[in-house]
Amino acid sequence: MSADIVVLDYGAGNVHSALRAVERAGATAELSADPDRAAAADGLLVPGVGAFSAVMDALDNAGAVDVIRERHRQQRPLLGICVGMQVLYTSGTEHGRTSDGIGLWDGAVCRIDAAVLPHMGWNTVTAAAGSAMFAGIAAERFYFVHSYAATTAPPEAAVTICSLDSPFIAAVEDGTTWATQFHPEKSGRAGTALLANWIRTLSAAQK
């Protein structure tokens, strides 16, 4: 049985590249702004580009914030990408403005402590031991474009780290809620393999 995947179309800007990436990974997906479709799907992918506050406003306007919280509470598969990961935290501070996040995980998303920003390009990560997300691809590089990141690890989650002068969180596996600071859809074969790992968890959950 194939998984029913929705890419949340709430004005994030890179939804079509995320959709194509899921298809390259061997699944079909649907773009949808409908909160009911997002709630019902086997897997929900939440992309995000731009400012934390703008992404939160767009998610709120689309009626998606409560959907994301409820999927996490019910442990129904969810994948956040880039700012789609950042907004899962309690808050984000950019340009002196602090905005509330969705609040699945305690902690703030702040400017990275690095000499050169934005962090743009390929970088290696240190995958969590036994990671399902990085199965078969723990030694690969992934593509980042950001100046802000989280440094607080959710309790009991498998956390993958990247470093740019100082360490920050590159990915989180918290039960069926997964998130990446990098862009799998721009990370070539490694990104495709990561999405395939996620898709396999959806198929397993259906059995």
Side-chain angles (χ1 to χ4, degrees):
M1 181 184 297
S2 61
D4 174 29
I5 299 172
V6 165
V7 176
L8 190 61
D9 188 10
Y10 66 99
N14 64 336
V15 290
H16 291 284
S17 60
L19 183 70
R20 289 192 296 270
V22 169
E23 293 170 348
R24 286 196 301 272
T28 58
E30 174 189 346
L31 286 178
S32 181
D34 180 356
D36 292 333
R37 275 293 292 124
D42 296 324
L44 177 64
L45 191 154
V46 182
V49 294
F52 186 105
S53 59
V55 169
M56 275 302 302
D57 287 345
L59 287 169
D60 194 36
N61 290 337
V65 171
D66 287 342
V67 170
I68 291 168
R69 286 182 179 139
E70 188 63 11
R71 288 190 71 95
H72 178 72
R73 187 188 70 80
Q74 294 181 354
Q75 282 293 284
R76 302 191 59 238
L78 172 70
L79 174 62
I81 293 175
C82 196
V83 188
M85 167 182 167
Q86 293 178 4
V87 295
L88 302 181
Y89 278 86
T90 306
S91 66
T93 299
E94 296 185 23
H95 310 296
R97 176 185 175 185
T98 298
S99 304
D100 290 339
I102 295 174
L104 305 189
W105 305 321
D106 289 335
V109 172
C110 300
R111 187 175 175 88
I112 301 170
D113 184 12
V116 177
L117 291 174
H119 177 208
M120 182 180 296
W122 297 85
N123 207 339
T124 56
V125 301
T126 302
S131 167
M133 185 187 298
F134 290 91
I137 51 171
E140 299 287 350
R141 298 187 306 156
F142 297 88
Y143 191 84
F144 292 83
V145 184
H146 64 122
S147 296
Y148 299 83
T151 57
T152 304
E156 301 181 12
V159 175
T160 291
I161 301 297
C162 186
S163 185
L164 184 71
D165 296 344
S166 60
F168 63 87
I169 294 175
V172 173
E173 296 164 69
D174 182 10
T176 61
T177 299
W178 289 16
T180 66
Q181 178 58 65
F182 55 84
H183 288 271
E185 76 279 11
K186 298 180 180 179
S187 295
R189 286 179 294 180
T192 300
L194 186 149
L195 290 170
N197 286 342
W198 181 62
I199 291 163
R200 276 191 288 275
T201 70
L202 310 184
S203 299
Q206 291 178 304
K207 295 178 180 178

